[in-house]
Amino acid sequence: MAIDAATVRKVARLARIAEPEEKLEQLASELNGIMTWIEQLSEVDTDGVEPMTSAVHMPAPMREDVVTEGGDASKVLSNAPKTVDGFFVVPKVVE
Amino acid sequence: MTSLTKLTLKAALDGLADKSFSSQELTEAHVEAVAAAKPLNAFVLETPEKAIEMAKASDARRAKGEAGVLDGAPLGIKDLFCTEGVRSTACSNILGNFIPTYESTVTANLWRDGAVMLGKLNLDEFAMGSSNETSAFGPVINPWRSEGSNAKLTPGGSSGGSAASVAADLCLGATATDTGGSIRQPAAFTGTVGIKPTYGRCSRWGVVAFASSLDQAGPIAKTVEDAAILLKSMSGHDAKDSTSLDIDVPDFPSFVGKSVKGLRVGIPKEYRVDGMPAEIEKLWEQGIAWLKEAGCEIVEVSLPHTKYALPAYYIVAPAEASSNLARYDGMRFGLREEGANLTETYENTRAAGFGPEVKRRILIGTYVLSAGYYDAYYLKALKVRRRIADDFDQAFEKVDALLTPTAPSAAFGLGENADDPVAMYLNDIFTVTVNLAGLPGMSIPAGVDVNGLPLGLQLIGKALDEGTLFSLGGAIEKAADFKAKPAKWW
């Protein structure tokens, strides 16, 4: 299925990336080029094949649910774009 | 003391041990070389004062008889590794002036063993690229040039700064990372040695994430032995990375120089691709002949799903990237571009902070994970990934390792593949299978093409069998006797 400008607009919205209207056609054509090349995967018979989600042949390790680090707000905030009194400052989330 | 920069890591460590020179002298020579190499654009941040301070501390440790295995050796660090108190950007504008308050496990391991940091190395933005051209700091220039030409060539990517700085003798070795070939392809393009170990050998903690099920750190070095020394130091279990393997790290350097007599080396027939330059085909034949002479048995094997590895990768990697890069929202760190409301702030921040290739991959990843396409693309790719891993399992029932070319060409000109994303992706055709299967892969410089540019051969091993790769890599290195160096123009 071909990706059109409307699809790019929707996907960019989902990805939270502002893409200007005038760039949507060009992006659609680039993404179509890549997805068309990817379509060849449909030639592979994958009936009954388990999806491979990890390259590690071991179960995920469990650990004690304890605090190991923390308690240093200044470190956590040191790269924040905006802070006040030891808090992150973010745009209003609830209208 | 410029000659100190010509040393291999091993020779430098020996010289430090027998007090032929101090770490301060060795480090000063490298700091000078880095400062004089600006035209290569290999470093995005030089840390000369920190380097000298670390070197002095190393000399003090050595005087007390407390030197570690890398003590006093100046290294370059790919700017994907977070370094405490030292700006770490992933070469993206969205991380701008990010200064980590923590140290990645891999670099912490290197400092534990006494290594000295020269600075942070350039890479493709978030390691997404094969030519270093997606870096927010501009591309690295390959120290190698075609004979009789001044044209600027790519050092490969994403670890272009790591490869170029090792090739140009700016550092004794460098850290790098490999998600689809980002250690091995730049190593091949610059006449250096690069190894991506088995997935889980090196901790990913503190390494900026691209595609977490594929990302793996490793070294780029001047020789196979140097790579073994560095990988041993970088590896090891880390509770902070849930995919880190809780197993002992072998003594990798002890495998270099071991006899390879009787080892069975597979030649995958599917790696003979259409349009491959005759010189690369010839180099591959030469590699086969060298290993035969060293006593290896050569076996033809089949990896039938090879051609599907790149398309599968370009679903899996962008899908994971779109999820990983969701963290760059302008709220807790990095760039923030204000908008009229929260959503607009997110959208403006990410539009301003990410470069075009990163955006393209996030869009593909978001698309293949979106409702209605998840099964058709993402799940399908994970099943093809299993098929590719099964191919390797079957081949390794018959052989101990595989020999292939590293890349389908020598270093190409900057801008040559920039207009066609798929043409650029094809650079990783021989390397990406290894990431999907989680196996170790190594590139060794093996010869030069008609233009005098280096070419690499790749060895692929069984999971956790880097040792055999170091033995075979050592045998190829000895037979190839690759001594060419780029003529200094910078």
Side-chain angles (χ1 to χ4, degrees):
Chain A
M1 74 280 339
I3 298 174
D4 55 14
T7 310
V8 177
R9 193 184 299 116
K10 184 183 146 215
V11 172
R13 183 82 180 169
L14 287 172
R16 297 288 185 265
I17 298 174
E19 291 289 5
E21 276 299 314
E22 63 272 18
K23 270 191 69 191
L24 296 181
E25 286 292 345
Q26 189 209 328
L27 273 170
S29 132
E30 283 173 13
L31 298 189
N32 260 324
I34 297 167
M35 293 313 293
T36 306
W37 170 68
I38 284 173
E39 288 293 339
Q40 58 180 301
L41 289 182
S42 59
E43 297 165 16
V44 185
D45 178 7
T46 51
D47 283 354
V49 177
E50 269 295 296
M52 180 171 171
T53 51
S54 167
V56 183
H57 302 283
M58 65 172 196
M62 301 297 278
R63 62 165 174 77
E64 292 302 311
D65 186 17
V66 291
V67 175
T68 52
E69 283 178 83
D72 191 343
S74 67
K75 269 190 170 186
V76 174
L77 292 168
S78 67
N79 282 289
K82 254 191 201 177
T83 63
V84 169
D85 295 337
F87 289 93
F88 291 106
V89 177
V90 301
K92 197 171 166 188
V93 177
V94 182
E95 292 299 331
Chain B
M1 297 273 273
T2 52
S3 63
L4 289 181
T5 62
K6 307 281 182 223
L7 297 173
T8 64
L9 171 64
K10 176 70 168 80
L13 291 169
D14 288 347
L16 288 166
D18 65 24
K19 308 250 179 352
S20 301
F21 43 82
S22 66
S23 173
Q24 192 176 340
E25 289 169 311
L26 181 67
T27 301
E28 278 169 355
H30 283 90
V31 165
E32 275 174 38
V34 170
K38 299 262 192 284
L40 298 178
N41 200 27
F43 279 77
V44 294
L45 183 71
E46 296 169 27
T47 56
E49 281 130 32
K50 189 178 174 76
I52 300 297
E53 183 192 314
M54 289 174 92
K56 283 181 180 167
S58 167
D59 287 332
R61 278 193 301 273
R62 195 172 289 280
K64 283 195 282 181
E66 293 167 1
V69 291
L70 287 173
D71 229 300
L75 305 177
I77 303 300
K78 186 177 184 180
D79 204 22
L80 204 62
F81 293 82
C82 286
T83 42
E84 189 173 357
V86 177
R87 192 191 71 182
S88 304
T89 66
C91 289
S92 177
N93 286 325
I94 210 155
L95 274 169
N97 200 31
F98 182 70
I99 298 177
T101 56
Y102 48 84
E103 187 77 29
S104 85
T105 299
V106 162
T107 48
N109 290 347
L110 293 171
W111 315 143
R112 171 204 66 204
D113 288 343
V116 168
M117 178 166 80
L118 289 166
K120 304 298 289 287
L121 295 163
N122 205 345
L123 65 141
D124 279 294
E125 184 179 4
F126 285 108
M128 297 182 194
S130 304
S131 66
N132 228 283
E133 288 166 292
T134 72
S135 167
F137 295 90
V140 177
I141 315 297
N142 196 330
W144 291 83
R145 287 171 162 182
S146 290
E147 270 160 22
S149 165
N150 288 339
K152 290 176 177 174
L153 302 180
T154 173
S158 67
S159 308
S162 308
S165 64
V166 172
D169 291 329
L170 308 184
C171 55
L172 293 173
T175 64
T177 61
D178 192 316
T179 304
S182 282
I183 289 176
R184 293 159 287 155
Q185 182 251 23
F189 280 13
T190 56
T192 54
V193 176
I195 179 165
K196 180 201 91 74
T198 309
Y199 184 84
R201 259 297 178 217
C202 289
S203 169
R204 290 179 297 104
W205 195 82
V207 183
V208 176
F210 162 15
S212 302
S213 81
L214 303 160
D215 296 343
Q216 190 53 203
I220 290 183
K222 296 184 186 182
T223 67
V224 173
E225 185 178 31
D226 287 1
I229 294 168
L230 288 167
L231 183 61
K232 188 183 176 193
S233 179
M234 292 164 74
S235 300
H237 178 244
D238 177 14
K240 289 176 182 164
D241 173 359
S242 65
T243 60
S244 166
L245 297 166
D246 192 3
I247 48 167
D248 289 340
V249 178
D251 183 26
F252 294 130
S254 70
F255 287 89
V256 184
K258 258 190 169 170
S259 168
V260 295
K261 211 167 177 218
L263 286 178
R264 293 161 304 163
V265 178
I267 308 299
K269 60 178 188 212
E270 290 81 4
Y271 280 54
R272 286 179 208 283
V273 295
D274 290 342
M276 186 158 81
E279 287 171 298
I280 289 183
E281 180 91 36
K282 210 176 110 196
L283 184 79
W284 198 6
E285 290 303 327
Q286 180 64 68
I288 292 168
W290 285 331
L291 289 180
K292 267 189 194 160
E293 277 164 38
C296 296
E297 186 192 333
I298 303 296
V299 184
E300 178 154 306
V301 296
S302 175
L303 301 169
H305 296 90
T306 297
K307 71 175 272 209
Y308 301 108
L310 265 180
Y313 175 86
Y314 275 96
I315 289 181
V316 174
E320 292 186 24
S322 77
S323 170
N324 269 327
L325 271 60
R327 77 190 69 186
Y328 302 101
D329 57 6
M331 297 299 124
R332 292 148 300 153
F333 54 86
L335 183 77
R336 180 187 295 181
E337 285 284 315
E338 302 284 353
N341 53 45
L342 180 65
T343 302
E344 241 186 51
T345 302
Y346 289 149
E347 291 180 341
N348 292 349
T349 297
R350 291 162 65 80
F354 293 135
E357 178 63 20
V358 172
K359 284 182 194 166
R360 198 149 47 215
R361 296 202 196 185
I362 291 174
L363 292 177
I364 290 176
T366 307
Y367 177 69
V368 300
L369 291 175
S370 63
Y373 298 110
Y374 182 91
D375 286 2
Y377 289 119
Y378 186 63
L379 213 55
K380 179 77 182 180
L382 293 183
K383 290 177 179 179
V384 174
R385 184 178 182 182
R386 171 81 59 195
R387 284 279 200 204
I388 289 159
D390 288 347
D391 283 355
F392 278 110
D393 284 347
Q394 280 156 26
F396 283 128
E397 283 172 11
K398 288 191 279 184
V399 296
D400 301 298
L402 301 168
L403 179 74
T404 77
T406 306
S409 74
F412 50 87
L414 288 173
E416 247 172 61
N417 287 326
D419 297 334
D420 183 353
V422 174
M424 188 66 91
Y425 298 167
L426 290 173
N427 263 288
D428 292 334
I429 189 162
F430 300 138
T431 48
V432 75
T433 50
V434 170
N435 299 79
L436 289 168
L439 303 174
M442 177 193 259
S443 179
I444 305 110
V448 292
D449 72 358
V450 279
N451 299 314
L453 295 175
L455 298 170
L457 286 173
Q458 176 178 235
L459 289 162
I460 301 170
K462 295 177 186 173
L464 303 178
D465 194 19
E466 290 88 353
T468 297
L469 295 191
F470 282 119
S471 297
L472 287 167
I476 289 176
E477 184 179 54
K478 196 173 158 201
D481 196 27
F482 184 87
K483 290 271 176 359
K485 290 292 275 183
K488 191 171 181 303
W489 55 264
W490 55 91

PDB file of all heavy atoms in Angstrom, chain A residues 89-95, chain B residues 331 336 338-343 345-346:
ATOM      1  N   VAL A  89       9.993  22.392  35.307  1.00  0.00           N
ATOM      2  CA  VAL A  89       8.891  23.251  34.862  1.00  0.00           C
ATOM      3  C   VAL A  89       8.509  22.825  33.455  1.00  0.00           C
ATOM      4  O   VAL A  89       9.354  22.809  32.556  1.00  0.00           O
ATOM      5  CB  VAL A  89       9.300  24.737  34.878  1.00  0.00           C
ATOM      6  CG1 VAL A  89       8.161  25.597  34.341  1.00  0.00           C
ATOM      7  CG2 VAL A  89       9.694  25.169  36.282  1.00  0.00           C
ATOM      8  N   VAL A  90       7.245  22.422  33.285  1.00  0.00           N
ATOM      9  CA  VAL A  90       6.770  21.942  31.978  1.00  0.00           C
ATOM     10  C   VAL A  90       5.504  22.703  31.590  1.00  0.00           C
ATOM     11  O   VAL A  90       4.856  23.318  32.450  1.00  0.00           O
ATOM     12  CB  VAL A  90       6.475  20.417  32.024  1.00  0.00           C
ATOM     13  CG1 VAL A  90       7.717  19.642  32.414  1.00  0.00           C
ATOM     14  CG2 VAL A  90       5.319  20.094  32.971  1.00  0.00           C
ATOM     15  N   PRO A  91       5.145  22.676  30.294  1.00  0.00           N
ATOM     16  CA  PRO A  91       3.901  23.339  29.896  1.00  0.00           C
ATOM     17  C   PRO A  91       2.703  22.712  30.614  1.00  0.00           C
ATOM     18  O   PRO A  91       2.760  21.547  31.031  1.00  0.00           O
ATOM     19  CB  PRO A  91       3.814  23.085  28.390  1.00  0.00           C
ATOM     20  CG  PRO A  91       5.208  22.725  27.971  1.00  0.00           C
ATOM     21  CD  PRO A  91       5.839  22.066  29.152  1.00  0.00           C
ATOM     22  N   LYS A  92       1.638  23.464  30.708  1.00  0.00           N
ATOM     23  CA  LYS A  92       0.413  22.992  31.351  1.00  0.00           C
ATOM     24  C   LYS A  92      -0.074  21.713  30.660  1.00  0.00           C
ATOM     25  O   LYS A  92      -0.176  21.664  29.428  1.00  0.00           O
ATOM     26  CB  LYS A  92      -0.648  24.087  31.207  1.00  0.00           C
ATOM     27  CG  LYS A  92      -1.810  23.939  32.136  1.00  0.00           C
ATOM     28  CD  LYS A  92      -2.658  25.201  32.043  1.00  0.00           C
ATOM     29  CE  LYS A  92      -4.005  24.974  32.688  1.00  0.00           C
ATOM     30  NZ  LYS A  92      -4.898  26.102  32.432  1.00  0.00           N
ATOM     31  N   VAL A  93      -0.315  20.653  31.448  1.00  0.00           N
ATOM     32  CA  VAL A  93      -0.683  19.354  30.883  1.00  0.00           C
ATOM     33  C   VAL A  93      -2.195  19.175  30.880  1.00  0.00           C
ATOM     34  O   VAL A  93      -2.768  18.606  29.958  1.00  0.00           O
ATOM     35  CB  VAL A  93      -0.007  18.223  31.689  1.00  0.00           C
ATOM     36  CG1 VAL A  93      -0.433  16.864  31.180  1.00  0.00           C
ATOM     37  CG2 VAL A  93       1.519  18.363  31.625  1.00  0.00           C
ATOM     38  N   VAL A  94      -2.889  19.656  31.929  1.00  0.00           N
ATOM     39  CA  VAL A  94      -4.336  19.486  32.023  1.00  0.00           C
ATOM     40  C   VAL A  94      -5.002  20.840  31.831  1.00  0.00           C
ATOM     41  O   VAL A  94      -4.640  21.808  32.511  1.00  0.00           O
ATOM     42  CB  VAL A  94      -4.736  18.905  33.405  1.00  0.00           C
ATOM     43  CG1 VAL A  94      -6.239  18.682  33.463  1.00  0.00           C
ATOM     44  CG2 VAL A  94      -3.985  17.616  33.675  1.00  0.00           C
ATOM     45  N   GLU A  95      -5.915  20.894  30.893  1.00  0.00           N
ATOM     46  CA  GLU A  95      -6.593  22.186  30.625  1.00  0.00           C
ATOM     47  C   GLU A  95      -7.650  22.445  31.684  1.00  0.00           C
ATOM     48  O   GLU A  95      -8.265  21.520  32.185  1.00  0.00           O
ATOM     49  CB  GLU A  95      -7.267  22.152  29.240  1.00  0.00           C
ATOM     50  CG  GLU A  95      -6.265  22.099  28.090  1.00  0.00           C
ATOM     51  CD  GLU A  95      -5.328  23.296  28.019  1.00  0.00           C
ATOM     52  OE1 GLU A  95      -5.728  24.401  28.442  1.00  0.00           O
ATOM     53  OE2 GLU A  95      -4.180  23.133  27.580  1.00  0.00           O
TER      54      GLU A  95
ATOM     55  N   MET B 331      11.422  17.929  28.002  1.00  0.00           N
ATOM     56  CA  MET B 331      10.932  18.217  29.354  1.00  0.00           C
ATOM     57  C   MET B 331      12.033  18.116  30.397  1.00  0.00           C
ATOM     58  O   MET B 331      12.206  19.007  31.217  1.00  0.00           O
ATOM     59  CB  MET B 331       9.799  17.243  29.728  1.00  0.00           C
ATOM     60  CG  MET B 331       8.568  17.373  28.845  1.00  0.00           C
ATOM     61  SD  MET B 331       7.819  19.005  28.951  1.00  0.00           S
ATOM     62  CE  MET B 331       7.830  19.487  27.233  1.00  0.00           C
ATOM     63  N   ARG B 336      14.535  22.338  24.220  1.00  0.00           N
ATOM     64  CA  ARG B 336      13.088  22.558  24.274  1.00  0.00           C
ATOM     65  C   ARG B 336      12.734  23.728  23.365  1.00  0.00           C
ATOM     66  O   ARG B 336      13.345  24.793  23.487  1.00  0.00           O
ATOM     67  CB  ARG B 336      12.609  22.856  25.698  1.00  0.00           C
ATOM     68  CG  ARG B 336      11.089  23.095  25.744  1.00  0.00           C
ATOM     69  CD  ARG B 336      10.583  23.555  27.104  1.00  0.00           C
ATOM     70  NE  ARG B 336      10.752  22.535  28.137  1.00  0.00           N
ATOM     71  CZ  ARG B 336      10.350  22.712  29.412  1.00  0.00           C
ATOM     72  NH1 ARG B 336       9.766  23.850  29.781  1.00  0.00           N
ATOM     73  NH2 ARG B 336      10.529  21.772  30.303  1.00  0.00           N
ATOM     74  N   GLU B 338       9.546  25.926  22.607  1.00  0.00           N
ATOM     75  CA  GLU B 338       8.202  26.164  23.138  1.00  0.00           C
ATOM     76  C   GLU B 338       7.152  26.221  22.027  1.00  0.00           C
ATOM     77  O   GLU B 338       7.428  26.690  20.924  1.00  0.00           O
ATOM     78  CB  GLU B 338       8.164  27.493  23.905  1.00  0.00           C
ATOM     79  CG  GLU B 338       9.159  27.594  25.060  1.00  0.00           C
ATOM     80  CD  GLU B 338       8.730  26.816  26.297  1.00  0.00           C
ATOM     81  OE1 GLU B 338       7.599  26.292  26.328  1.00  0.00           O
ATOM     82  OE2 GLU B 338       9.549  26.737  27.237  1.00  0.00           O
ATOM     83  N   GLY B 339       5.958  25.741  22.337  1.00  0.00           N
ATOM     84  CA  GLY B 339       4.810  25.853  21.447  1.00  0.00           C
ATOM     85  C   GLY B 339       3.632  26.401  22.223  1.00  0.00           C
ATOM     86  O   GLY B 339       3.753  26.719  23.410  1.00  0.00           O
ATOM     87  N   ALA B 340       2.468  26.488  21.562  1.00  0.00           N
ATOM     88  CA  ALA B 340       1.282  27.066  22.195  1.00  0.00           C
ATOM     89  C   ALA B 340       0.732  26.164  23.295  1.00  0.00           C
ATOM     90  O   ALA B 340       0.053  26.628  24.215  1.00  0.00           O
ATOM     91  CB  ALA B 340       0.212  27.326  21.140  1.00  0.00           C
ATOM     92  N   ASN B 341       1.006  24.855  23.189  1.00  0.00           N
ATOM     93  CA  ASN B 341       0.544  23.918  24.209  1.00  0.00           C
ATOM     94  C   ASN B 341       1.557  22.777  24.319  1.00  0.00           C
ATOM     95  O   ASN B 341       2.591  22.791  23.627  1.00  0.00           O
ATOM     96  CB  ASN B 341      -0.852  23.385  23.857  1.00  0.00           C
ATOM     97  CG  ASN B 341      -0.874  22.820  22.439  1.00  0.00           C
ATOM     98  OD1 ASN B 341       0.029  22.083  22.042  1.00  0.00           O
ATOM     99  ND2 ASN B 341      -1.902  23.173  21.677  1.00  0.00           N
ATOM    100  N   LEU B 342       1.252  21.806  25.153  1.00  0.00           N
ATOM    101  CA  LEU B 342       2.214  20.734  25.423  1.00  0.00           C
ATOM    102  C   LEU B 342       2.567  19.967  24.141  1.00  0.00           C
ATOM    103  O   LEU B 342       3.737  19.736  23.843  1.00  0.00           O
ATOM    104  CB  LEU B 342       1.648  19.786  26.482  1.00  0.00           C
ATOM    105  CG  LEU B 342       2.559  18.625  26.863  1.00  0.00           C
ATOM    106  CD1 LEU B 342       3.839  19.118  27.537  1.00  0.00           C
ATOM    107  CD2 LEU B 342       1.834  17.636  27.766  1.00  0.00           C
ATOM    108  N   THR B 343       1.529  19.560  23.378  1.00  0.00           N
ATOM    109  CA  THR B 343       1.768  18.775  22.166  1.00  0.00           C
ATOM    110  C   THR B 343       2.628  19.553  21.174  1.00  0.00           C
ATOM    111  O   THR B 343       3.558  19.005  20.586  1.00  0.00           O
ATOM    112  CB  THR B 343       0.432  18.369  21.518  1.00  0.00           C
ATOM    113  OG1 THR B 343      -0.313  17.630  22.487  1.00  0.00           O
ATOM    114  CG2 THR B 343       0.643  17.498  20.294  1.00  0.00           C
ATOM    115  N   THR B 345       4.746  21.853  21.880  1.00  0.00           N
ATOM    116  CA  THR B 345       6.116  21.932  22.406  1.00  0.00           C
ATOM    117  C   THR B 345       6.880  20.651  22.072  1.00  0.00           C
ATOM    118  O   THR B 345       8.021  20.694  21.636  1.00  0.00           O
ATOM    119  CB  THR B 345       6.096  22.184  23.925  1.00  0.00           C
ATOM    120  OG1 THR B 345       5.373  23.389  24.171  1.00  0.00           O
ATOM    121  CG2 THR B 345       7.501  22.325  24.489  1.00  0.00           C
ATOM    122  N   TYR B 346       6.215  19.502  22.270  1.00  0.00           N
ATOM    123  CA  TYR B 346       6.849  18.231  21.869  1.00  0.00           C
ATOM    124  C   TYR B 346       7.208  18.273  20.386  1.00  0.00           C
ATOM    125  O   TYR B 346       8.327  17.952  19.987  1.00  0.00           O
ATOM    126  CB  TYR B 346       5.879  17.053  22.038  1.00  0.00           C
ATOM    127  CG  TYR B 346       5.543  16.624  23.443  1.00  0.00           C
ATOM    128  CD1 TYR B 346       4.277  16.079  23.716  1.00  0.00           C
ATOM    129  CD2 TYR B 346       6.472  16.678  24.481  1.00  0.00           C
ATOM    130  CE1 TYR B 346       3.942  15.633  24.984  1.00  0.00           C
ATOM    131  CE2 TYR B 346       6.135  16.236  25.758  1.00  0.00           C
ATOM    132  CZ  TYR B 346       4.871  15.707  26.008  1.00  0.00           C
ATOM    133  OH  TYR B 346       4.524  15.258  27.249  1.00  0.00           O
TER     134      TYR B 346
END
